[in-house]
Structures are given as C-alpha cells and as structure tokens.
Amino acid sequence: MIEFRNVSKVYNNGTEALHNINLNVEKGEFVFIVGSSGAGKSTFLKLVMCEERPNSGQIFVDGVDVSRIPKRKIPYIRRKMGIVFQDFRLIDHMTVYDNVAFAMRVVGASPRSIRKRVPYILSLVGLQHKAKHYPTELSGGERQRISIARAFLKNAPIILLDEATASLDVENETLIQTALSRLIADKTVLVIAHRMRTVAGADKIVVLSDGTVAEEGSPKDLEEKNGVYAHMVKLQTESQNWKLS
C-alpha cells in the first residue's frame, strides 16, 4: 500500500530530514512512527501525502509513484487519505458541523449522506452538542477532535495521524482512541506518537533516529531486542513515575 525506496529528503536550509529510507507498509497494517524530536517523523508523513517531495528515491501509494506525479493530480491521491495534523487546519468561519461536512463535500458526497453521517461522527468524538459552535469558541482538545472527525468522514483507505491526541487530556484521549478503534478497521494506518502507551496495539513500529530507520518490528519484538525503542519506553515510564511521585 505504501512503499519507500531509498528515499532522502533535504530541506532548502541544508537540513537532511530523512536519509535513504526503505520501508513497506502493507494494506490494512497499523504502523506507529516513533522517535525523538527532529528524527524525521513529520517529514515522513508529509512525503506520503505529497506536501513535500523527496530529493531522491521513490514513494509509492497504492501503486502510484507519488514522488513524481504532477501537482494537478495530488488532490486525487489525497482523496485516498484521511489526515489529522498537529495544527488542526480548521476553517474558522465555518461551524463545527460545516468543518466536518467539508471533507465530504470536496469528494462529492450527497447532501443526504452528509446530513446522516456528520451527526454520527460528531457523536463518536463527543461533540454533537457543539455542532453550531465555531472553532475559535472551542478548546484545543475539542478542535483536535473536530480535525479527527473530519478526516474519518472521508472513509479513506489510508489514515495519517500526526500526534492526533497530543492536545488531549487523558479522559479525552481515551474517548478519541475508542472512536478511532471503530473507524480504522480494515484501513492502512500510519500514526506519529510520542506517548509510548498508545503504541501497544500496533502491527509494526518504525523507530526513526537522525533521519534513518533505527529499528522496525512489533512492540513485543522491539522490547525484547532492548534497543532504541526499549530505551524510549523506559525513559518515558520513568518520567511518568517521577511526575506521579
């Protein structure tokens, strides 16, 4: 479904974000991308969705080489993706309802389908009572939940989540994860995560370090390997215990 072949990305300021990445994500796989700040995680997702182009190598999404497609075809590739960013990317002059419905309108969904599906999705993320509010009237966590709801309304086969629960407290994070579990069934999912407790259900974890793939495998395999991933889990566990003491 998604394949990186010898992919490197260097930004105009000379920063090498990714170096010679080779990775396969199979159809229906649930993959977490983890790593320290600056490891290349966000760049990885931006390349998948064609927001950035690689300097070398090839990226295939559902058999299409997206590293070389013309700009006019990028919207058609993105129709296959439900995307949630850290910065929400909501439209301030639209209500919560219209922000969520927008994702369906751009792919030509019927008004009847929109009227039926939008309230259902808003109820899943606990925002049905905020349908007539505007993004500026909501908390950061609520805005993130709108962004998540909007992405899943497209019913796209590929889901990209860039720190989807970063703005949420524990209660809201649990609510969203419950909703996500219902909505991502049978989809190919790529998630950037910092909170190690969120990766336990992954099919595969990809650990990025200095723009390269340091480790790749199931959570169990990587913990038993006692390498980079295991060290990250240990540090985060110690930090959480310290905060609680």
Side-chain angles (χ1 to χ4, degrees):
M1 175 63 77
I2 299 172
E3 182 181 2
F4 276 52
R5 297 181 186 174
N6 303 311
V7 172
S8 294
K9 172 62 181 178
V10 181
Y11 288 102
N12 291 336
N13 63 4
T15 300
E16 185 175 34
L18 294 175
H19 177 71
N20 199 35
I21 298 291
N22 288 280
L23 182 69
N24 269 309
V25 178
E26 301 295 336
K27 183 178 180 179
E29 244 186 339
F30 196 137
V31 179
F32 276 87
I33 311 294
V34 303
S36 60
S37 179
K41 303 185 298 297
S42 292
T43 296
F44 184 93
L45 287 194
K46 288 177 180 179
L47 289 172
V48 173
M49 62 171 288
C50 307
E51 190 168 284
E52 295 287 348
R53 301 276 188 141
N55 294 86
S56 60
Q58 294 174 284
I59 302 168
F60 293 88
V61 176
D62 200 19
V64 177
D65 185 354
V66 300
S67 56
R68 288 173 168 78
I69 63 171
K71 287 186 177 181
R72 68 180 184 277
K73 293 187 177 181
I74 290 176
Y76 297 98
I77 292 295
R78 289 181 181 167
R79 287 184 182 182
K80 298 180 179 182
M81 303 174 187
I83 307 167
V84 180
F85 299 96
Q86 294 184 54
D87 58 359
F88 316 138
R89 303 195 183 185
L90 302 179
I91 303 170
D92 286 342
H93 68 268
M94 287 186 178
T95 63
V96 167
Y97 181 98
D98 286 329
N99 261 282
V100 176
F102 181 76
M104 295 184 71
R105 293 192 179 108
V106 296
V107 295
S110 69
R112 180 180 179 183
S113 177
I114 291 172
R115 287 194 300 269
K116 180 179 180 180
R117 185 106 173 120
V118 171
Y120 168 69
I121 295 295
L122 286 177
S123 69
L124 283 181
V125 298
L127 288 175
Q128 64 272 29
H129 61 296
K130 299 278 189 175
K132 295 182 180 180
H133 287 67
Y134 291 89
T136 54
E137 300 175 302
L138 306 179
S139 68
E142 287 172 331
R143 291 197 297 272
Q144 184 64 298
R145 284 152 64 187
I146 299 169
S147 181
I148 291 168
R150 187 174 61 180
F152 282 104
L153 263 174
K154 293 172 65 176
N155 196 29
I158 299 171
I159 305 298
L160 308 179
L161 305 175
D162 186 359
E163 294 287 356
T165 59
S167 300
L168 307 180
D169 56 30
V170 173
E171 181 179 353
N172 281 319
E173 182 182 21
T174 301
L175 173 66
I176 289 299
Q177 288 180 344
T178 299
L180 292 181
S181 67
R182 299 173 187 167
L183 293 165
I184 63 177
D186 302 319
K187 299 183 186 298
T188 304
V189 184
L190 283 176
V191 183
I192 288 179
H194 278 301
R195 299 174 183 175
M196 293 298 105
R197 69 173 181 268
T198 66
V199 306
D203 296 315
K204 181 163 62 181
I205 293 174
V206 177
V207 182
L208 294 181
S209 178
D210 296 325
T212 65
V213 176
E215 293 178 341
E216 179 183 346
S218 70
K220 181 181 178 181
D221 289 344
L222 293 188
E223 287 209 41
E224 291 177 351
K225 185 177 180 180
N226 200 30
V228 178
Y229 173 74
H231 182 64
M232 292 173 63
V233 172
K234 180 182 178 181
L235 288 178
Q236 192 161 110
T237 301
E238 290 175 348
S239 175
Q240 289 169 349
N241 290 339
W242 178 80
K243 290 177 183 177
L244 292 172
S245 61

